[in-house]
Amino acid sequence: LKQFSAGPLAFFCPTPLRLRQLHSKMPARRGSLLGALVAGAALCQTSSWLSAFAAGGGAVPRRELIFGAATSALLVGPLAAGAVEACKDGANNCYSSASQPGRNFVAPWSWPAGTSKGDAIKALREVLEAYPKEGQGDVDQGGWSLAVDELATKGYARLEYLSGIGNFARFFNGGKPFVDDLEVSVGESSVSVRSGSRVGDSDMGVNTKRLNYLAKDLTAKGWTTTQVAPL
């Protein structure tokens, strides 16, 4: 048992934080891939417990059981609902409702009291899909697409926006437009949001303009939103 746990399983024993990072990079077939990761992590933990028992440790320490339960709750809770992640500390191209209050924080968008969750999701979809395909405010001129649409089932969606087209893209990104991701995760009374650029350091203000445009349209529908300051 000891040799087995130190072999291939030791190579695939992601920490809870690593699991969350891997989960955020799964734009498609999220459920099956995440299931494999969770199963692998569970197998790792089980192997660790068995190794301790075989080594003469007797009963599994209570702290190990607590850790296992906490890890399981972490995996099947927010991740299953498609919760957004925090931005990297000090990022110049990202906002998130999961970040600590500060320059990278964007307050969740709250729908009006008395509005059902279903109606809130409908209003959110209307605003997202009304975003101009030609962009606005000199950003997102390459258009946008709905990459993951689980709003109706899990309250989660991810959209891709293309910026930096033309000469800017040719000179700075090998002729390819810059891709930004917008994620929304619907809670019980508000929507957590994350908007960030995939590459580069500065986003030239695109995430600021995008979030403020969407927030303005939601405010017009009676929602409570906050405009973000430029990074």
Side-chain angles (χ1 to χ4, degrees):
L1 287 173
K2 181 180 293 185
Q3 182 180 6
F4 179 66
S5 65
L9 283 180
F11 180 78
F12 183 74
C13 282
T15 63
L17 176 59
R18 181 55 180 156
L19 281 170
R20 295 183 70 87
Q21 292 172 339
L22 290 171
H23 176 267
S24 68
K25 302 180 186 300
M26 298 177 185
R29 298 168 66 181
R30 180 181 296 248
S32 58
L33 290 175
L34 179 60
L37 287 172
V38 173
L43 188 57
C44 288
Q45 188 62 59
T46 301
S47 175
S48 174
W49 291 342
L50 290 174
S51 296
F53 186 83
V60 177
R62 183 170 180 268
R63 65 181 180 181
E64 292 291 333
L65 292 173
I66 295 174
F67 173 77
T71 301
S72 299
L74 174 66
L75 292 173
V76 301
L79 288 182
V84 301
E85 288 197 344
C87 300
K88 181 180 179 181
D89 289 343
N92 295 315
N93 57 7
C94 176
Y95 298 91
S96 175
S97 300
S99 292
Q100 294 296 316
R103 65 195 304 266
N104 297 115
F105 177 72
V106 53
W109 297 332
S110 301
W111 57 78
T115 302
S116 69
K117 189 173 182 178
D119 287 342
I121 290 177
K122 179 181 178 182
L124 175 64
R125 181 184 294 279
E126 289 174 353
V127 168
L128 293 175
E129 294 182 348
Y131 193 84
K133 282 286 188 179
E134 67 278 9
Q136 51 81 31
D138 295 326
V139 302
D140 299 332
Q141 294 174 314
W144 59 269
S145 61
L146 194 56
V148 177
D149 184 1
E150 299 173 343
L151 280 175
T153 56
K154 299 181 180 179
Y156 173 85
R158 182 175 65 83
L159 298 90
E160 296 179 353
Y161 297 80
L162 304 182
S163 288
I165 60 177
N167 289 334
F168 190 85
R170 184 167 73 251
F171 295 144
F172 294 100
N173 200 37
K176 300 178 182 179
F178 292 93
V179 181
D180 297 339
D181 294 289
L182 175 78
E183 295 178 277
V184 292
S185 179
V186 181
E188 292 306 313
S189 61
S190 64
V191 177
S192 296
V193 58
R194 185 183 193 278
S195 184
S197 303
R198 293 187 184 179
V199 298
D201 178 55
S202 174
D203 64 357
M204 307 298 288
V206 297
N207 289 288
T208 305
K209 292 182 178 180
R210 179 185 309 119
L211 283 175
N212 288 342
Y213 185 97
L214 295 170
K216 176 177 63 66
D217 282 1
L218 285 171
T219 299
K221 290 180 174 289
W223 289 47
T224 299
T225 66
T226 302
Q227 297 281 293
V228 295
L231 293 170

